[in-house]
Amino acid sequence: MLRYTVKRLLQLSVALLGLSLLLFAWFKALPGGPENQLLPENATAQQREALRAALGLDEPIWVQYADFLGRVVRLDFGSSLSSGRPVATELADRLPATIELSLAAMLIAVGVGIPLGYLAAKRRGSWLDFAAVSGSLLGTCIPIFFLAAMLKVVFAQELGWLPTTFRLSAGTEYTDVTGLRVLDGLITGEFDVAWDAVLHLVLPAIALSSIPLAVIVRITRASVLDVVGEDYVRTADAKGLKPSVIRGRHVMRNAMLPIATIIGLLLGSLFAGAVLTESVFSFGGIGSFVYQATTERDYPALMGFILVIAVFYVVINLLVDLSYGLLDPRVRVRK
Amino acid sequence: MALLEVEDLRVAFGNATAVDGVSFSVEEGRIVGLVGESGCGKSVTSLAVMGLLPKGRGGRRAKAPEPVQAAAAEPAPGAVKAAAAAPQAVPAGGGRRSRGGADVSGRAVFDGTDLLALTPAAMRRRRGKDLAMVFQDPLSSLNPVVPIGRQITEVLERHRGLKGAKANQEAASLLDRVGIPDPVRRLKEYPHQLSGGMRQRVLIAIAVACAPRLLIADEPTTALDVTIQAQILELLKDLVEDEGTALLMITHDLGVVAGMCDEVNVLYSGRVVESAPVRELFARPTHPYTVGLLGSIPKLDLPIHEPLTPIRGSIADVIRWKDGCAFAPRCDRVAEACVDGEPPLIGSAHAHRCVRAEEVA
């Protein structure tokens, strides 16, 4: 298991290095270059040269890359063009909101998707199966921003059951520990704050969970259908084991392998969906920040965002691979 | 009264009949063979007895499309066509759970109880305890992500109430009994870390864990090397002889039958065509199918390049015992009488289902 972990960690650093190269190339390929943005139109060629030298742009390309890498490692992405604050600070302020929202969405997707997919497989051909399959098709088809807006209109504005925007009700006093409001409320014992945060999370989390939920239902259904036909499930049945034991130890443990992979990939993609959901609900996470950065061509902000998301993706996939090692003994032992 | 008495067992998957009235019995402590080629219904028979077939919509009573077939006696081609199309229409309306499900009817009386009449929960209490099964492919029959120790202890826990260290100890002694060296270490290993023969030994350990009175082995050596085959057969034989367990041996290998079994039932097209004590069967095969099976075994004393003698044709997809002998299309000595109605099972100790056996012999 240790060898496996070390091997995966090495692969991870290679992936991140490749990513930094790509980003650097993208940054270089952007039309204009920073001197055009920073200098007035009538600047002389001398002034341009001076600025390029000051920014290190006259250095050989590999020196520039090393410099870029050095800054990235120190989390120095420069300052946001629109707010003037360091990009790293902006991201750090907003990241917890997005993490909380993504986790809540994934909780819904996993908590509903796996049991639903299992039932659909077990009652294959029933109305429930039909509803689950067609519902998941619908879930992948509805654009997130539309679903988010509809949920908001119906449940928040018309029915008034849930709040329309923000992470907490106006004027709520809270203690910041992790930045995840629900968790903070539970840690500090401010349960009313935690509950308020949960209410604010419900609609955006449902909107954001639609795609992962749909995917998980389908993958679970397919995976369970695969596994229940396996000989070892028949062996378990031949032992006279209770249905709950067959389900847990023999069907789901094997069916979880592909589901775990998909969950990892989906968790990364939730961040992309968060951009739209957060905008609709003014959720104040990384998503709304990026939405703004994109419309205002705030390149340093975008660069920082892409790096953070990429690191998330890679780390999540590492975790998935490691959990795969735990779930499947065959992965562990094979060289 | 025999330990297991299977009477007129019928299994149908929708329209297709897999087992068409199989009857046989297994006496306490005896080894009984169920022999036949692929598709003859021997595995389905064993799964039906174990209650391991997916349930069909029709419940226990399989509805044979007899009345429709009777109409086919009319010589008009239109009528025949209609009759052929009609049976397919019947199960199509069977409902949502009929997909892949089996309709089982008949009786499988085990120690006085009809297993086919038990509720699923009552059957689960007996499976793995009173009657157990060893499967064909040891790799796919073991759960790849659960240590083999757990796969043994779970059955001990279920039927003998053993838990924790006690269960582990018992599992280790079971592994030792089936001839696996260093059993305590092996308990923690996964199926992929074991060889094919070892895996089959583990499956056998699981099957005998609760000292069942009947063990069903479905081609237990098909997936193994020849050298390992002999060891596994020897192990099975020793285990059942030690414990007085009855063994139902399902195989297509007549060599296995000759070496292991006390009695043999030859299956063809979902029916027993011949049943006899093993010596009697090899000495005086009566049904042409049995004769053909014995004739197609390669013999060491034949000259090299001498072609084998196969049975011509292959087993039919649609079973037709009602209209005459199902083996008739492949039989060399077929006559009028063979296709004139259902052939009865003739005789008792050495029974066969051939109307011309007397004339031909």
Side-chain angles (χ1 to χ4, degrees), chain B residues 210-262:
Chain B
C210 302
R213 294 174 66 193
L214 173 69
L215 189 62
I216 300 177
D218 185 1
E219 308 216 16
T221 56
T222 309
L224 303 175
D225 286 345
V226 182
T227 46
I228 311 293
Q229 286 187 6
Q231 295 175 12
I232 295 292
L233 291 174
E234 205 52 45
L235 171 69
L236 272 174
K237 204 169 176 178
D238 287 349
L239 285 174
V240 296
E241 274 169 9
D242 288 353
E243 299 282 325
T245 309
L247 174 62
L248 179 60
M249 188 81 192
I250 290 152
T251 181
H252 61 255
D253 188 337
L254 287 167
V256 170
V257 171
M260 297 268 301
C261 298
D262 302 315

Short mmCIF file of all heavy atoms in Angstrom, two decimals, chain B residues 210-262:
data_model
loop_
_atom_site.label_atom_id
_atom_site.label_comp_id
_atom_site.label_asym_id
_atom_site.label_seq_id
_atom_site.Cartn_x
_atom_site.Cartn_y
_atom_site.Cartn_z
N CYS B 210 -20.62 -26.18 7.29
CA CYS B 210 -21.68 -26.47 8.26
C CYS B 210 -22.12 -27.92 8.18
O CYS B 210 -23.27 -28.25 8.55
CB CYS B 210 -22.86 -25.53 8.03
SG CYS B 210 -22.39 -23.80 8.16
N ALA B 211 -21.23 -28.78 7.71
CA ALA B 211 -21.51 -30.22 7.61
C ALA B 211 -22.87 -30.50 6.99
O ALA B 211 -23.77 -31.02 7.63
CB ALA B 211 -21.41 -30.87 8.99
N PRO B 212 -23.04 -30.14 5.71
CA PRO B 212 -24.33 -30.35 5.07
C PRO B 212 -24.60 -31.85 4.87
O PRO B 212 -23.67 -32.65 4.86
CB PRO B 212 -24.16 -29.66 3.72
CG PRO B 212 -22.70 -29.76 3.44
CD PRO B 212 -22.03 -29.65 4.78
N ARG B 213 -25.88 -32.21 4.74
CA ARG B 213 -26.20 -33.61 4.49
C ARG B 213 -26.15 -33.92 3.01
O ARG B 213 -26.01 -35.07 2.61
CB ARG B 213 -27.56 -33.92 5.07
CG ARG B 213 -27.54 -33.79 6.59
CD ARG B 213 -28.90 -33.95 7.18
NE ARG B 213 -29.40 -35.30 6.98
CZ ARG B 213 -30.67 -35.64 7.17
NH1 ARG B 213 -31.54 -34.73 7.53
NH2 ARG B 213 -31.06 -36.87 6.96
N LEU B 214 -26.33 -32.86 2.20
CA LEU B 214 -26.23 -33.05 0.75
C LEU B 214 -25.31 -31.99 0.17
O LEU B 214 -25.44 -30.81 0.46
CB LEU B 214 -27.62 -32.92 0.10
CG LEU B 214 -27.62 -32.93 -1.43
CD1 LEU B 214 -27.23 -34.29 -1.98
CD2 LEU B 214 -28.97 -32.50 -1.98
N LEU B 215 -24.36 -32.46 -0.61
CA LEU B 215 -23.45 -31.53 -1.29
C LEU B 215 -23.71 -31.67 -2.78
O LEU B 215 -23.79 -32.78 -3.31
CB LEU B 215 -22.01 -31.92 -0.95
CG LEU B 215 -20.90 -30.97 -1.37
CD1 LEU B 215 -21.08 -29.63 -0.68
CD2 LEU B 215 -19.54 -31.56 -1.00
N ILE B 216 -23.88 -30.52 -3.45
CA ILE B 216 -24.05 -30.57 -4.89
C ILE B 216 -22.79 -29.97 -5.51
O ILE B 216 -22.39 -28.86 -5.17
CB ILE B 216 -25.28 -29.76 -5.34
CG1 ILE B 216 -26.55 -30.32 -4.69
CG2 ILE B 216 -25.41 -29.77 -6.86
CD1 ILE B 216 -27.81 -29.55 -5.02
N ALA B 217 -22.15 -30.71 -6.39
CA ALA B 217 -20.94 -30.21 -7.04
C ALA B 217 -21.24 -30.08 -8.53
O ALA B 217 -21.48 -31.07 -9.21
CB ALA B 217 -19.77 -31.15 -6.79
N ASP B 218 -21.24 -28.81 -9.01
CA ASP B 218 -21.56 -28.56 -10.41
C ASP B 218 -20.27 -28.45 -11.22
O ASP B 218 -19.62 -27.42 -11.21
CB ASP B 218 -22.38 -27.27 -10.52
CG ASP B 218 -22.84 -27.02 -11.95
OD1 ASP B 218 -22.54 -27.84 -12.82
OD2 ASP B 218 -23.49 -25.98 -12.18
N GLU B 219 -19.89 -29.51 -11.88
CA GLU B 219 -18.65 -29.56 -12.66
C GLU B 219 -17.49 -28.94 -11.89
O GLU B 219 -16.87 -27.98 -12.35
CB GLU B 219 -18.84 -28.82 -14.00
CG GLU B 219 -20.07 -29.31 -14.73
CD GLU B 219 -19.89 -29.36 -16.23
OE1 GLU B 219 -18.73 -29.31 -16.68
OE2 GLU B 219 -20.89 -29.48 -16.94
N PRO B 220 -17.16 -29.48 -10.73
CA PRO B 220 -16.18 -28.81 -9.87
C PRO B 220 -14.77 -28.82 -10.42
O PRO B 220 -13.91 -28.11 -9.92
CB PRO B 220 -16.25 -29.63 -8.57
CG PRO B 220 -16.71 -30.98 -9.00
CD PRO B 220 -17.63 -30.75 -10.15
N THR B 221 -14.51 -29.60 -11.44
CA THR B 221 -13.12 -29.69 -11.92
C THR B 221 -12.95 -29.18 -13.34
O THR B 221 -11.85 -29.23 -13.89
CB THR B 221 -12.64 -31.15 -11.87
OG1 THR B 221 -13.55 -31.95 -12.63
CG2 THR B 221 -12.59 -31.67 -10.45
N THR B 222 -14.01 -28.66 -13.95
CA THR B 222 -13.94 -28.24 -15.35
C THR B 222 -12.90 -27.15 -15.59
O THR B 222 -12.23 -27.14 -16.60
CB THR B 222 -15.32 -27.73 -15.80
OG1 THR B 222 -16.27 -28.72 -15.47
CG2 THR B 222 -15.35 -27.49 -17.29
N ALA B 223 -12.77 -26.22 -14.61
CA ALA B 223 -11.87 -25.08 -14.83
C ALA B 223 -10.44 -25.36 -14.36
O ALA B 223 -9.62 -24.47 -14.34
CB ALA B 223 -12.43 -23.86 -14.10
N LEU B 224 -10.16 -26.61 -14.00
CA LEU B 224 -8.85 -26.90 -13.40
C LEU B 224 -7.96 -27.75 -14.31
O LEU B 224 -8.43 -28.44 -15.20
CB LEU B 224 -9.05 -27.63 -12.07
CG LEU B 224 -9.91 -26.92 -11.03
CD1 LEU B 224 -10.13 -27.80 -9.83
CD2 LEU B 224 -9.27 -25.60 -10.62
N ASP B 225 -6.66 -27.69 -14.04
CA ASP B 225 -5.71 -28.56 -14.74
C ASP B 225 -6.01 -30.02 -14.42
O ASP B 225 -6.51 -30.34 -13.35
CB ASP B 225 -4.28 -28.28 -14.25
CG ASP B 225 -3.76 -26.98 -14.79
OD1 ASP B 225 -4.38 -26.47 -15.75
OD2 ASP B 225 -2.75 -26.49 -14.27
N VAL B 226 -5.62 -30.90 -15.35
CA VAL B 226 -5.93 -32.32 -15.16
C VAL B 226 -5.34 -32.87 -13.87
O VAL B 226 -6.00 -33.60 -13.13
CB VAL B 226 -5.42 -33.13 -16.36
CG1 VAL B 226 -5.78 -34.59 -16.20
CG2 VAL B 226 -6.01 -32.59 -17.65
N THR B 227 -4.09 -32.48 -13.55
CA THR B 227 -3.47 -33.01 -12.34
C THR B 227 -4.22 -32.56 -11.09
O THR B 227 -4.38 -33.32 -10.14
CB THR B 227 -2.00 -32.55 -12.23
OG1 THR B 227 -1.96 -31.15 -12.51
CG2 THR B 227 -1.12 -33.27 -13.20
N ILE B 228 -4.67 -31.28 -11.12
CA ILE B 228 -5.41 -30.75 -9.98
C ILE B 228 -6.79 -31.41 -9.90
O ILE B 228 -7.30 -31.68 -8.80
CB ILE B 228 -5.58 -29.22 -10.11
CG1 ILE B 228 -4.25 -28.54 -10.42
CG2 ILE B 228 -6.20 -28.63 -8.86
CD1 ILE B 228 -3.24 -28.61 -9.33
N GLN B 229 -7.38 -31.69 -11.06
CA GLN B 229 -8.70 -32.31 -11.10
C GLN B 229 -8.76 -33.55 -10.22
O GLN B 229 -9.66 -33.71 -9.41
CB GLN B 229 -9.06 -32.72 -12.54
CG GLN B 229 -9.43 -31.57 -13.43
CD GLN B 229 -9.93 -32.03 -14.78
OE1 GLN B 229 -10.11 -33.23 -15.01
NE2 GLN B 229 -10.17 -31.08 -15.67
N ALA B 230 -7.74 -34.41 -10.40
CA ALA B 230 -7.73 -35.67 -9.66
C ALA B 230 -7.68 -35.40 -8.15
O ALA B 230 -8.41 -36.02 -7.38
CB ALA B 230 -6.54 -36.52 -10.09
N GLN B 231 -6.84 -34.40 -7.75
CA GLN B 231 -6.73 -34.08 -6.32
C GLN B 231 -8.06 -33.62 -5.76
O GLN B 231 -8.46 -34.01 -4.66
CB GLN B 231 -5.70 -32.96 -6.10
CG GLN B 231 -4.28 -33.34 -6.47
CD GLN B 231 -3.36 -32.14 -6.35
OE1 GLN B 231 -3.73 -31.12 -5.78
NE2 GLN B 231 -2.16 -32.26 -6.88
N ILE B 232 -8.72 -32.73 -6.51
CA ILE B 232 -9.99 -32.17 -6.03
C ILE B 232 -11.05 -33.26 -5.91
O ILE B 232 -11.79 -33.33 -4.92
CB ILE B 232 -10.47 -31.03 -6.97
CG1 ILE B 232 -9.49 -29.85 -6.93
CG2 ILE B 232 -11.88 -30.59 -6.62
CD1 ILE B 232 -9.46 -29.10 -5.61
N LEU B 233 -11.10 -34.15 -6.90
CA LEU B 233 -12.08 -35.23 -6.86
C LEU B 233 -11.82 -36.14 -5.67
O LEU B 233 -12.73 -36.55 -4.96
CB LEU B 233 -12.04 -36.04 -8.16
CG LEU B 233 -12.56 -35.29 -9.39
CD1 LEU B 233 -12.34 -36.13 -10.65
CD2 LEU B 233 -14.03 -34.95 -9.23
N GLU B 234 -10.54 -36.41 -5.45
CA GLU B 234 -10.15 -37.26 -4.33
C GLU B 234 -10.58 -36.61 -3.01
O GLU B 234 -11.13 -37.27 -2.13
CB GLU B 234 -8.61 -37.44 -4.37
CG GLU B 234 -8.12 -38.69 -3.71
CD GLU B 234 -8.83 -39.94 -4.22
OE1 GLU B 234 -9.03 -40.10 -5.46
OE2 GLU B 234 -9.21 -40.75 -3.36
N LEU B 235 -10.35 -35.29 -2.92
CA LEU B 235 -10.72 -34.54 -1.72
C LEU B 235 -12.23 -34.62 -1.48
O LEU B 235 -12.69 -34.91 -0.37
CB LEU B 235 -10.28 -33.08 -1.86
CG LEU B 235 -10.78 -32.12 -0.79
CD1 LEU B 235 -10.13 -32.42 0.55
CD2 LEU B 235 -10.51 -30.67 -1.17
N LEU B 236 -12.98 -34.38 -2.54
CA LEU B 236 -14.44 -34.43 -2.42
C LEU B 236 -14.89 -35.81 -1.94
O LEU B 236 -15.73 -35.94 -1.05
CB LEU B 236 -15.09 -34.13 -3.77
CG LEU B 236 -15.38 -32.66 -4.10
CD1 LEU B 236 -15.89 -32.54 -5.51
CD2 LEU B 236 -16.38 -32.08 -3.11
N LYS B 237 -14.30 -36.82 -2.53
CA LYS B 237 -14.68 -38.18 -2.19
C LYS B 237 -14.37 -38.48 -0.74
O LYS B 237 -15.21 -39.03 -0.02
CB LYS B 237 -13.93 -39.15 -3.11
CG LYS B 237 -14.62 -40.49 -3.26
CD LYS B 237 -14.00 -41.30 -4.37
CE LYS B 237 -14.66 -42.67 -4.41
NZ LYS B 237 -14.16 -43.50 -5.48
N ASP B 238 -13.17 -38.07 -0.30
CA ASP B 238 -12.79 -38.30 1.10
C ASP B 238 -13.74 -37.60 2.05
O ASP B 238 -14.19 -38.18 3.04
CB ASP B 238 -11.36 -37.78 1.35
CG ASP B 238 -10.32 -38.69 0.71
OD1 ASP B 238 -10.71 -39.79 0.28
OD2 ASP B 238 -9.15 -38.28 0.63
N LEU B 239 -14.05 -36.33 1.73
CA LEU B 239 -14.89 -35.54 2.63
C LEU B 239 -16.27 -36.17 2.78
O LEU B 239 -16.78 -36.29 3.89
CB LEU B 239 -15.04 -34.11 2.09
CG LEU B 239 -13.83 -33.19 2.27
CD1 LEU B 239 -14.07 -31.87 1.56
CD2 LEU B 239 -13.56 -32.94 3.74
N VAL B 240 -16.89 -36.55 1.66
CA VAL B 240 -18.24 -37.08 1.78
C VAL B 240 -18.23 -38.46 2.44
O VAL B 240 -19.16 -38.81 3.16
CB VAL B 240 -18.98 -37.13 0.42
CG1 VAL B 240 -19.18 -35.71 -0.10
CG2 VAL B 240 -18.29 -37.98 -0.59
N GLU B 241 -17.15 -39.22 2.21
CA GLU B 241 -17.10 -40.54 2.84
C GLU B 241 -16.90 -40.42 4.35
O GLU B 241 -17.52 -41.14 5.13
CB GLU B 241 -16.01 -41.40 2.20
CG GLU B 241 -16.57 -42.11 0.97
CD GLU B 241 -15.50 -42.77 0.12
OE1 GLU B 241 -14.33 -42.83 0.55
OE2 GLU B 241 -15.84 -43.21 -1.00
N ASP B 242 -16.04 -39.46 4.76
CA ASP B 242 -15.81 -39.25 6.19
C ASP B 242 -17.09 -38.87 6.91
O ASP B 242 -17.36 -39.32 8.02
CB ASP B 242 -14.77 -38.14 6.41
CG ASP B 242 -13.38 -38.59 6.03
OD1 ASP B 242 -13.23 -39.79 5.75
OD2 ASP B 242 -12.46 -37.75 6.02
N GLU B 243 -17.84 -37.98 6.32
CA GLU B 243 -18.99 -37.40 7.01
C GLU B 243 -20.29 -38.11 6.69
O GLU B 243 -21.33 -37.78 7.25
CB GLU B 243 -19.14 -35.92 6.60
CG GLU B 243 -17.95 -35.05 6.96
CD GLU B 243 -17.93 -34.68 8.44
OE1 GLU B 243 -19.04 -34.48 9.00
OE2 GLU B 243 -16.84 -34.62 9.03
N GLY B 244 -20.25 -39.02 5.73
CA GLY B 244 -21.49 -39.65 5.31
C GLY B 244 -22.40 -38.71 4.55
O GLY B 244 -23.62 -38.85 4.54
N THR B 245 -21.80 -37.68 3.92
CA THR B 245 -22.57 -36.71 3.16
C THR B 245 -22.97 -37.31 1.81
O THR B 245 -22.18 -38.01 1.18
CB THR B 245 -21.71 -35.45 2.90
OG1 THR B 245 -21.16 -35.03 4.13
CG2 THR B 245 -22.52 -34.35 2.27
N ALA B 246 -24.17 -37.03 1.38
CA ALA B 246 -24.57 -37.41 0.03
C ALA B 246 -24.02 -36.40 -0.96
O ALA B 246 -23.97 -35.21 -0.65
CB ALA B 246 -26.08 -37.47 -0.06
N LEU B 247 -23.59 -36.87 -2.12
CA LEU B 247 -23.01 -35.95 -3.10
C LEU B 247 -23.73 -36.11 -4.43
O LEU B 247 -23.86 -37.22 -4.96
CB LEU B 247 -21.51 -36.24 -3.26
CG LEU B 247 -20.76 -35.47 -4.34
CD1 LEU B 247 -20.77 -33.97 -4.06
CD2 LEU B 247 -19.31 -35.95 -4.44
N LEU B 248 -24.22 -34.98 -4.94
CA LEU B 248 -24.79 -34.98 -6.28
C LEU B 248 -23.75 -34.36 -7.20
O LEU B 248 -23.41 -33.20 -7.07
CB LEU B 248 -26.10 -34.18 -6.30
CG LEU B 248 -26.80 -34.08 -7.65
CD1 LEU B 248 -27.18 -35.45 -8.17
CD2 LEU B 248 -28.04 -33.19 -7.55
N MET B 249 -23.23 -35.19 -8.08
CA MET B 249 -22.10 -34.77 -8.90
C MET B 249 -22.61 -34.44 -10.31
O MET B 249 -23.11 -35.32 -11.01
CB MET B 249 -21.14 -35.96 -8.95
CG MET B 249 -19.84 -35.68 -9.57
SD MET B 249 -18.78 -34.87 -8.37
CE MET B 249 -17.50 -34.35 -9.47
N ILE B 250 -22.46 -33.18 -10.68
CA ILE B 250 -22.93 -32.80 -12.00
C ILE B 250 -21.73 -32.67 -12.92
O ILE B 250 -20.79 -31.94 -12.62
CB ILE B 250 -23.71 -31.48 -11.90
CG1 ILE B 250 -25.00 -31.77 -11.18
CG2 ILE B 250 -23.99 -30.90 -13.27
CD1 ILE B 250 -25.54 -30.62 -10.45
N THR B 251 -21.75 -33.39 -14.01
CA THR B 251 -20.56 -33.41 -14.86
C THR B 251 -20.91 -33.84 -16.28
O THR B 251 -21.97 -34.38 -16.54
CB THR B 251 -19.51 -34.38 -14.27
OG1 THR B 251 -18.36 -34.36 -15.10
CG2 THR B 251 -20.04 -35.80 -14.21
N HIS B 252 -20.01 -33.53 -17.20
CA HIS B 252 -20.16 -34.07 -18.54
C HIS B 252 -19.04 -35.08 -18.81
O HIS B 252 -18.89 -35.59 -19.90
CB HIS B 252 -20.15 -32.96 -19.59
CG HIS B 252 -18.87 -32.18 -19.59
ND1 HIS B 252 -18.78 -30.92 -19.07
CD2 HIS B 252 -17.64 -32.49 -20.04
CE1 HIS B 252 -17.54 -30.49 -19.19
NE2 HIS B 252 -16.82 -31.42 -19.76
N ASP B 253 -18.26 -35.32 -17.76
CA ASP B 253 -17.08 -36.14 -17.91
C ASP B 253 -17.36 -37.56 -17.40
O ASP B 253 -17.48 -37.79 -16.20
CB ASP B 253 -15.95 -35.49 -17.08
CG ASP B 253 -14.61 -36.16 -17.32
OD1 ASP B 253 -14.61 -37.34 -17.74
OD2 ASP B 253 -13.58 -35.52 -17.09
N LEU B 254 -17.45 -38.49 -18.33
CA LEU B 254 -17.79 -39.86 -17.92
C LEU B 254 -16.66 -40.50 -17.13
O LEU B 254 -16.90 -41.41 -16.33
CB LEU B 254 -18.13 -40.70 -19.15
CG LEU B 254 -19.50 -40.35 -19.75
CD1 LEU B 254 -19.66 -40.98 -21.12
CD2 LEU B 254 -20.63 -40.81 -18.84
N GLY B 255 -15.46 -40.00 -17.31
CA GLY B 255 -14.34 -40.49 -16.53
C GLY B 255 -14.55 -40.18 -15.05
O GLY B 255 -14.32 -41.03 -14.18
N VAL B 256 -15.02 -38.97 -14.78
CA VAL B 256 -15.32 -38.57 -13.40
C VAL B 256 -16.40 -39.46 -12.83
O VAL B 256 -16.31 -39.94 -11.70
CB VAL B 256 -15.76 -37.08 -13.37
CG1 VAL B 256 -16.29 -36.72 -12.00
CG2 VAL B 256 -14.60 -36.18 -13.76
N VAL B 257 -17.43 -39.72 -13.64
CA VAL B 257 -18.54 -40.56 -13.20
C VAL B 257 -18.03 -41.95 -12.81
O VAL B 257 -18.33 -42.46 -11.74
CB VAL B 257 -19.60 -40.67 -14.31
CG1 VAL B 257 -20.64 -41.71 -13.95
CG2 VAL B 257 -20.25 -39.32 -14.56
N ALA B 258 -17.22 -42.51 -13.70
CA ALA B 258 -16.72 -43.87 -13.45
C ALA B 258 -15.91 -43.92 -12.17
O ALA B 258 -15.99 -44.88 -11.41
CB ALA B 258 -15.88 -44.33 -14.64
N GLY B 259 -15.12 -42.87 -11.92
CA GLY B 259 -14.24 -42.88 -10.77
C GLY B 259 -14.92 -42.54 -9.45
O GLY B 259 -14.43 -42.89 -8.39
N MET B 260 -16.03 -41.81 -9.50
CA MET B 260 -16.62 -41.27 -8.28
C MET B 260 -17.96 -41.88 -7.88
O MET B 260 -18.22 -42.10 -6.71
CB MET B 260 -16.87 -39.76 -8.45
CG MET B 260 -15.66 -38.90 -8.67
SD MET B 260 -14.99 -38.25 -7.15
CE MET B 260 -16.36 -37.31 -6.46
N CYS B 261 -18.84 -42.05 -8.89
CA CYS B 261 -20.26 -42.18 -8.56
C CYS B 261 -20.68 -43.60 -8.23
O CYS B 261 -20.07 -44.58 -8.66
CB CYS B 261 -21.11 -41.67 -9.72
SG CYS B 261 -20.82 -39.94 -10.04
N ASP B 262 -21.75 -43.70 -7.44
CA ASP B 262 -22.40 -44.97 -7.18
C ASP B 262 -23.50 -45.20 -8.20
O ASP B 262 -23.69 -46.30 -8.70
CB ASP B 262 -23.00 -44.99 -5.78
CG ASP B 262 -21.94 -44.75 -4.71
OD1 ASP B 262 -20.86 -45.36 -4.81
OD2 ASP B 262 -22.18 -43.93 -3.81
#
